[in-house]
Amino acid sequence: MPKRKPPKQGSAGKKKLSKAEKEKLKAEEEERRAQEEEELRLKQEEEEKQRKEREKLEGLEKRKLENAEKENRRQEMLELLEIQEKNKSRLEQLHDDRRKKAKWARYMRCDGSPNPTIPGEINTYINLKLEDMDHNDIETVLKQGELDLNLINELDFLLEDTPEAELTAEELSRYRIKGKRKMIQDARNKGKKKMIQHARSTREDLQTLMQSKLDAATVKLLQQATDLCDTETFNLHYTKRNQDICLCIWGNLSKNPRIKSFEFAEKGFQFEIPRILTLSDCAIRILFTKYDHYSSTCKSFYPRRKKKEEPIAIEEEPKEEEEKKDEEGEKEKEGEEEGEEGDNKEDTEDLMAMLRQMKGEAPPEEEAKEEEEEKVEDVEEFEDPITPAWHDWSKGAVAELSTKVC
């Protein structure tokens, strides 16, 4: 008999799955996938929750550190302002004592020099010198010029060094400024302005006096040109100086056309004249000074304060009646819409509350309470003192700093 072939492995043992079994396996597979997705979602939510909690703790710690730093800076700034106020008051006291001593020393000076702040004394001094024509020689003029320069410098120093608060009743009456106790500050301001005007006027008068005396001394030297001529060139070649002024005068006496270049070796100054002037009667005066009496005549020499523009309040134009009616109609429509939105909002809140209960989440009120408990009070930053403008800084003193604390 012929032998039968053995059946293939798995062909007889493997059974076909029924439709119900396939659906069951498919449902189990879907359930497994859903479970894996749910576990993954819960894991991600947990990680996200931990991340937010970690960030929240880090933020709280950072804010605590910032608040501690702000508080530390605030305490340091308060201590610094206290030190500055003490130094300022001490410095003001030192300057007050110095000014009092200077006033007393000026009062006790017995050298015959007038007080430039007293109009009567300084005007008498200027008029007497202008009327004196017997002392116009160059030596006397240069010597008296030193006193005039000292008076000018004293005036400039007093203008810069004397604050308005130190003007006494005698000084206010001197400039014909009167004021009651309530208006004493205005009186002092006016007295300061009058003092500045008087000082500038006196300074100009002293400068004019010096210049007129130098002109008179120059005329007197030219009248003595023959006696003062140089023995080599037979021209007037004269130089006179002190610590502030150097006067150089050259006069053409020989009228030699071959000599056109001349030099003042004492000052290292050389000049040439045209050929026409070598044959004419002429003289040249060169004046070297260490002071400046011309810059103060410039309009831009004294800086001016910038005027602050005050904001102009713009009045709103009255609205018309029609616009009012339109606005009332719009408000009514908005009220109706808000009522409908309120009803919809209540329904939405109820639905969200049910969903939270199903998921086991805490209601937003409890979360808000937890956040309020974890809130850290912020410390406001210390406001830096305002730096005063240039015209508010007094010479040799510390400007007033604002002690405002937030």
Side-chain angles (χ1 to χ4, degrees):
M1 290 180 67
K3 295 181 180 179
R4 294 181 181 179
K5 293 181 180 180
K8 294 181 180 180
Q9 295 179 357
S11 59
K14 187 176 180 181
K15 296 181 180 180
K16 289 184 180 181
L17 298 175
S18 63
K19 187 176 181 181
E21 290 175 345
K22 288 180 179 180
E23 289 179 356
K24 184 178 179 182
L25 290 174
K26 187 176 181 181
E28 291 176 355
E29 184 68 20
E30 289 178 356
E31 185 178 354
R32 184 181 61 80
R33 287 180 183 177
Q35 187 176 0
E36 289 178 356
E37 289 177 358
E38 183 66 18
E39 291 177 356
L40 181 61
R41 185 183 65 80
L42 293 175
K43 185 179 179 181
Q44 290 176 350
E45 288 180 356
E46 185 66 23
E47 291 177 354
E48 184 69 16
K49 187 176 179 181
Q50 292 177 0
R51 185 184 65 80
K52 288 182 179 180
E53 188 70 21
R54 186 170 59 252
E55 289 178 355
K56 187 176 181 181
L57 293 174
E58 291 175 356
L60 290 173
E61 189 66 24
K62 185 178 179 181
R63 286 170 62 185
K64 287 180 181 178
L65 293 174
E66 289 177 354
N67 291 337
E69 186 176 351
K70 289 178 184 178
E71 184 64 26
N72 188 24
R73 182 178 181 275
R74 181 173 176 276
Q75 294 297 330
E76 290 177 353
M77 289 299 294
L78 289 174
E79 293 176 3
L80 178 61
L81 287 176
E82 186 178 356
I83 294 171
Q84 286 178 339
E85 285 298 321
K86 289 181 180 178
N87 292 341
K88 179 177 176 293
S89 60
R90 178 60 180 162
L91 188 60
E92 288 177 353
Q93 185 64 36
L94 290 174
H95 282 293
D96 292 342
D97 296 341
R98 176 184 57 78
R99 281 190 284 267
K100 289 178 182 178
K101 291 179 181 178
K103 287 181 180 179
W104 179 251
R106 185 70 179 83
Y107 178 76
M108 295 298 294
R109 192 188 301 175
C110 299
D111 56 356
S113 61
N115 190 340
T117 60
I118 301 177
E121 291 187 16
I122 194 66
N123 291 336
T124 303
Y125 170 79
I126 293 172
N127 291 330
L128 289 176
K129 286 196 69 176
L130 288 173
E131 293 173 359
D132 185 11
M133 298 296 178
D134 299 331
H135 300 87
N136 287 339
D137 56 286
I138 188 63
E139 290 82 3
T140 305
V141 169
L142 290 180
K143 185 176 180 180
Q144 292 180 350
E146 295 179 1
L147 176 59
D148 297 338
L149 283 175
N150 290 334
L151 293 175
I152 292 173
N153 294 333
E154 186 177 352
L155 276 175
D156 292 338
F157 179 75
L158 287 174
L159 282 177
E160 295 178 359
D161 194 55
T162 304
E164 297 174 359
E166 281 198 6
L167 291 177
T168 60
E170 181 182 354
E171 291 173 337
L172 293 176
S173 63
R174 184 183 300 162
Y175 302 110
R176 297 180 181 179
I177 301 296
K178 297 180 180 180
K180 299 179 181 178
R181 290 183 179 178
K182 294 181 180 179
M183 303 171 63
I184 191 65
Q185 187 61 36
D186 295 338
R188 282 175 176 167
N189 294 338
K190 292 179 182 178
K192 180 70 174 179
K193 292 178 182 179
K194 287 284 185 180
M195 179 183 174
I196 292 172
Q197 293 175 2
H198 166 71
R200 289 178 181 175
S201 176
T202 304
R203 181 173 55 187
E204 292 175 1
D205 293 341
L206 289 171
Q207 292 169 358
T208 305
L209 174 64
M210 287 184 63
Q211 192 63 37
S212 63
K213 285 297 180 180
L214 285 172
D215 294 342
T218 303
V219 171
K220 194 167 185 178
L221 287 172
L222 292 175
Q223 291 173 352
Q224 303 171 358
T226 306
D227 300 333
L228 299 173
C229 69
D230 189 7
T231 56
E232 294 181 1
T233 61
F234 298 101
N235 289 326
L236 175 61
H237 193 97
Y238 183 82
T239 303
K240 191 69 176 178
R241 64 187 302 173
N242 64 0
Q243 59 181 2
D244 298 311
I245 303 172
C246 180
L247 178 67
C248 302
I249 299 178
W250 177 86
N252 190 9
L253 301 178
S254 64
K255 299 179 183 179
N256 188 351
R258 291 177 297 177
I259 304 175
K260 295 187 291 184
S261 178
F262 305 94
E263 181 182 6
F264 289 96
E266 298 86 347
K267 290 296 292 183
F269 182 78
Q270 186 176 1
F271 67 96
E272 294 182 1
I273 60 174
R275 184 180 180 82
I276 298 174
L277 293 180
T278 59
L279 301 174
S280 63
D281 294 327
C282 64
I284 296 175
R285 183 182 73 170
I286 305 159
L287 195 62
F288 298 93
T289 61
K290 290 185 178 180
Y291 56 83
D292 178 17
H293 287 170
Y294 295 99
S295 296
S296 58
T297 60
C298 180
K299 292 182 179 180
S300 60
F301 180 73
Y302 299 103
R304 299 177 181 177
R305 294 188 180 186
K306 186 178 179 181
K307 295 182 179 180
K308 296 181 180 180
E309 297 181 358
E310 297 181 357
I312 301 172
I314 301 174
E315 297 182 358
E316 296 182 358
E317 297 180 357
K319 295 182 179 180
E320 298 180 357
E321 295 181 357
E322 295 180 359
E323 294 180 356
K324 290 182 179 179
K325 291 180 180 179
D326 294 339
E327 289 181 358
E328 289 176 359
E330 290 177 359
K331 287 181 180 179
E332 290 178 359
K333 291 181 180 179
E334 290 176 357
E336 294 177 357
E337 292 177 357
E338 287 177 357
E340 294 177 357
E341 289 178 357
D343 298 337
N344 297 332
K345 189 175 181 181
E346 290 178 358
D347 298 339
T348 306
E349 289 176 354
D350 295 339
L351 182 59
M352 293 296 292
M354 292 174 62
L355 291 173
R356 287 194 191 95
Q357 290 178 0
M358 292 173 65
K359 293 181 178 180
E361 295 179 356
E365 294 179 357
E366 296 180 1
E367 294 179 358
K369 289 180 181 178
E370 291 177 359
E371 291 179 357
E372 288 178 359
E373 291 176 357
E374 295 177 354
K375 277 186 179 179
V376 179
E377 293 183 0
D378 292 334
V379 178
E380 295 183 1
E381 292 187 1
F382 184 83
E383 184 177 353
D384 293 333
I386 300 172
T387 304
W390 61 267
H391 48 71
D392 294 329
W393 290 83
S394 58
K395 185 178 179 181
V398 179
E400 183 177 0
L401 297 175
S402 174
T403 56
K404 181 180 177 183
V405 180
C406 291

